[in-house]
Structure formats: structure tokens, C-alpha cells
Amino acid sequence: MKLVTQRVHMNKCNCRETRQITLDRDFNVPDARPDALSVMKEQGKVQIEEARMIDGKASVKGTLEFQILYAVDGSLPVSEMRGSIPIEEMISLPCAGKEDELTVHAVIDDIRSELINSRKVGLKAIITLEVSADTICDGEGAVDVEDAEGVLCKKKTLDISRLVFTGKDTLRIRDEWKLPGTKDSIGQILYSDFTLGEINTRVGENELLVDGQANLFVIYLSDSEDPEMNFYENTFPIEGTIGCSGCDPDMVAQVTTQIHSCDIEIKEDEDGESRILDAELVLGFGIKVYGQDQIEWLTDFYSTTNKCVPVFEDSYFENLIVQNKSRTRISGRIQADDDRLPLQIWNVSGELRIDRKIQKENGIQVEGVIDVSVLYLTEDTRVPLVSIKDSLPFSQFVEAEGLDENCNTWLSGSIEQMSASITGDKEFEIKAVATLELIAFEKIEEPIICDFTSEEIDWKEKSREPGMIGYVVQAGEELWDIAKQFFTTTEEIMSINQMENDEIKEGDILLILRLHLC
């Protein structure tokens, strides 16, 4: 007699912790940059460089890379400065092992800068680090017994998610645009900004297909004797594939995306004018691809000819119960600067922040805000550009049938579209489409059969026992348990007792006829 086993490649989340950190640092304006008059706009991104386990804690290292646009007290209207702040955190993960794979997801909850003096700027950021420790493991259990006469098997069908592919990769996108005739040619780029818009991914044959768009915004000085400040914005189409060996279109991907690096260059057109922008964007992807299986596990077995005792061990599985992308429209109004009349909106951007997640029946109620930044032109010749910030609240229910507190859930949000319009002398109307993406796995802990022991039955001893007995059903017993105890079958018990089905209850009296004594 031999067990037939099956192996399942799985991803097990052993531990997940969240830590909010505050970074506060002062920076001098670089010598090559002009004096600052006022801070207009700032942005940042977190790059995680290393994450590893040390004595039950996750050591996370990285940087906050920032960019500040500021008004200039001089001949130039605006300028920018860039820099970085190192991140080093130790986060306790008591349930994680040394060999676990660490995944760090960083969200900038707030980033603000202030002018200390004309040559110094202070930057403060609040960042949330979510660290998960996963084990990539193989679960193996019995699915059948072969080469065994007189063996009865009990099985259970489980829906499980197996990990097919995991990895990190980058996608390099390049594009160029020619400025429209209404725009001046470019003499000098003062500020440039890339932001991600809608990003869609789906699994193909041995590949991950990516499509979506990023947004490009540039402030520049014209190429003329009397340079004037101007701006250009456009969408950056994203399309490409990433190799994912062993995957097929029926599988489900869990993907995180961020801008890894970006570069922009000025080129001349056919007339020799600097009217072409050549941009390169490198996106970083964290990828996990899951396939769905339905496996019939062997949960118990016995023989009517000898004593077989299964050996059990606890095993862990996950089953995808929901992957849902929910969109919500958000709108509101924010006030402009009281002292400066807006003439034209140059740029609107925002960050989605999730503040609360309330689990309800068949879903999660999500509450948060969109932090909005509007950059606009004013009639003030000394400070022609002004940036204002405000927040718009939102509330959205994300459907997730079957979700409970024991599930592993990942919820992320992004802004797909955003626009602004001037509705009054000092008021802007903001419209946005936000996306909330939820993926949830049911945690399944099952004892599976990994081995068995076997010994011969002493039939001489058994022959001295009655061939037929009356048995009183005990609490929690199934007909299978009774048949196994007396080396018979459920069908035999049902036949002798003229039962229509195998349902029994505590206190029932059954006649038991041992097969080998009849």
C-alpha cells in the first residue's frame, strides 16, 4: 500500500506590520541655484533599497527622493531643487523567519516644505511602511492510496491558490512629443514632473501585459531674446510586456507599480528649433501570479484487513476569494490664494490617502482623502505662479463577498484622472476618478496525511468477540468513524440497519456486523 501525494507551490504570509515614520530635514539651496522667494510645490517618492530580517526584526533601508519647485527672487521666475533623505527603520516581525521574503510597501501620507530663508528650505514628510514577511513553500499531502485491497478512503475537495510566479522587473518606456505651434520653443527646462495615471495589468501566455498612462508636466523658459515662462503637459502612453514563465491568461496577478526613474531631454525638430521633448520612463513592478486549483485531499482512510493509522501534519493553504477594482468619482471646490487672482490653471495633481478601512458584510467601507495641489498663473509679475493645497474627502464601499477577519487582504488606491477648472474669482472646481483595488485570500489550515503506520490484525483475538453487536452512537460521531472502528463499511451498516442515508445522531442504536466474521 502506498500513498499518492501532490505538491502545491504556495505563498504564505507569516506576518505583516505597519509603521508610520516622520522625516524632518533642512536643506540648503544649491550654490548653482538662485535664491528662493517662496515654496510653490513639492513631491516625493520612496525607493526601498534593502529589506532583510535581523533577530526577529525587519531592517528596512531606502531613501525619500524629493523635488521642490520654488519662486525665485531674481531674473528667473521659478527654479527647482532636488535631494534625498535616508530611511533606516527596524520593524518588529515576531512571526517571521530568517528565510522569509520581505515585501515593503511605502506610502507618503504627507509631504510639506517651508522656506526658512532664501538659501534654506525645510522638508517634512510622514511615511507609512507596510512590511509583510512571506514564505514561498511547497505543501505536499496525500490525495489517494494505491496498491491496497480493502482500503476505504475519505476525501475533501479544497479550492486553493497556488503561486505560479513571483519576481521583480522593470519596464522601460520611451516617447517624444513635438510642441504645438501655439507654444514657444524651449530654451531651458525649469521643472519637470511625471505622475502615474491608470495602470492595467493582465496575465498572458508566459507574460504580464501592461497598459496605461503616465502624465508629464514641464515648466520651461522660451528660447528667445526675452525669455518667457511657459508650460507643456501631455499623457505618456504605457504599453509593454514582462516575462512571467509558466503563466497563462486564466491566472490572476497581484502587481505593485512605481516610477523607478525618469529622464527628459530637449531635441531639435526638422527646422532646427528646440521643440521636441524626448522622455524615458522606467517603471518598477513587483509581481505575484496565482493559479486556481481544485484538489481532492485524502482526509482519512482505513483497511478492513489490517490496522492502518494515518499520520497527520498541519498544512497551510490560501484561496483567492476576491480581486476587485472599484472606481469612484470625487468632486469638490477649493479656494485660491486670497491675495492673487487666478488667470490660468497650469497643473493639477493629487495623492490618494486611505485613512480608515471598516470591514462590513460582503465588503470593506473605505474612507480617505485626495490631497490636491493646483498650480496656477496669477497677475502678480513678481510671483507669477502660485500653488495651493487642500483635501477632498471620499467614502467608497468595495464589494468582497465572503470576506472575513481571518482573510489576508491588500487594499491600494490611485488616481486615474484629475482635472480642475476656475469657477469664480478665487475658487477651483476639482473632479477626479479614484480607483481602489482589493485582493483577498482566504486562509485555510488543514491537517493533511503525510504518512501512515500499519500492522496485522489479531484475527484469533477478534474471533472471540461477538459477530454482531449493538452500538450506541456517541456525540460528534459520523457513520464513517463507526465503520472504521469495527473494520466494516458504511454501506454494510446502512444495509443491516435499513438506513436510507448515512445521517446519524447521538443516542441512535446501530447493529454492527463485522465483515470478516460473517
Side-chain angles (χ1 to χ4, degrees), residues 128-353:
T128 296
L129 299 174
E130 184 182 69
V131 185
S132 62
D134 298 339
T135 299
I136 309 299
C137 57
D138 288 320
E140 187 172 8
V143 294
D144 207 349
V145 179
E146 64 179 17
D147 301 331
E149 186 177 347
V151 171
L152 289 304
C153 295
K154 186 179 182 182
K155 297 184 178 182
K156 180 179 181 179
T157 300
L158 287 179
D159 293 319
I160 63 172
S161 300
R162 56 185 171 88
L163 183 65
V164 179
F165 179 89
T166 181
K168 296 180 180 179
D169 210 334
T170 58
L171 183 64
R172 191 178 300 271
I173 307 293
R174 197 176 191 96
D175 204 351
E176 64 178 31
W177 304 271
K178 184 175 181 179
L179 267 61
T182 55
K183 296 285 186 181
D184 296 327
S185 57
I186 304 172
Q188 178 186 351
I189 292 178
L190 302 176
Y191 177 83
S192 62
D193 178 22
F194 284 94
T195 56
L196 287 180
E198 180 181 7
I199 302 292
N200 297 307
T201 58
R202 59 187 177 90
V203 182
E205 201 70 38
N206 294 314
E207 63 184 6
L208 182 75
L209 291 83
V210 181
D211 71 83
Q213 66 179 36
N215 303 304
L216 167 68
F217 174 67
V218 174
I219 300 175
Y220 66 93
L221 282 180
S222 62
D223 184 16
S224 59
E225 292 182 5
D226 187 13
E228 292 185 358
M229 186 170 60
N230 211 328
F231 76 98
Y232 177 77
E233 60 180 349
N234 209 332
T235 57
F236 194 116
I238 295 171
E239 186 174 356
T241 59
I242 297 172
C244 297
S245 177
C247 300
D248 65 56
D250 293 329
M251 296 178 180
V252 173
Q254 182 182 5
V255 182
T256 59
T257 310
Q258 67 172 2
I259 295 177
H260 184 271
S261 64
C262 52
D263 186 46
I264 190 164
E265 183 181 348
I266 306 169
K267 289 185 175 181
E268 294 182 350
D269 61 11
E270 61 275 10
D271 297 324
E273 295 183 342
S274 302
R275 303 187 61 82
I276 295 177
L277 288 172
D278 187 320
E280 182 180 74
L281 188 65
V282 180
L283 301 181
F285 293 87
I287 306 167
K288 289 180 180 176
V289 180
Y290 298 89
Q292 291 297 112
D293 279 339
Q294 193 174 70
I295 297 180
E296 219 179 27
W297 292 109
L298 185 64
T299 58
D300 197 9
F301 70 92
Y302 68 92
S303 171
T304 58
T305 60
N306 58 26
K307 291 182 179 179
C308 294
V309 181
V311 177
F312 293 88
E313 68 177 18
D314 289 333
S315 190
Y316 175 92
F317 303 94
E318 287 189 340
N319 181 44
L320 177 70
I321 60 172
V322 64
Q323 185 183 39
N324 187 10
K325 182 179 281 190
S326 175
R327 290 179 173 85
T328 179
R329 295 185 180 276
I330 302 168
S331 61
R333 299 193 175 193
I334 62 177
Q335 296 297 314
D337 189 303
D338 289 338
D339 299 327
R340 298 178 178 92
L341 183 70
L343 300 179
Q344 182 186 22
I345 295 173
W346 276 29
N347 179 249
V348 58
S349 60
E351 294 289 338
L352 184 143
R353 185 173 76 244

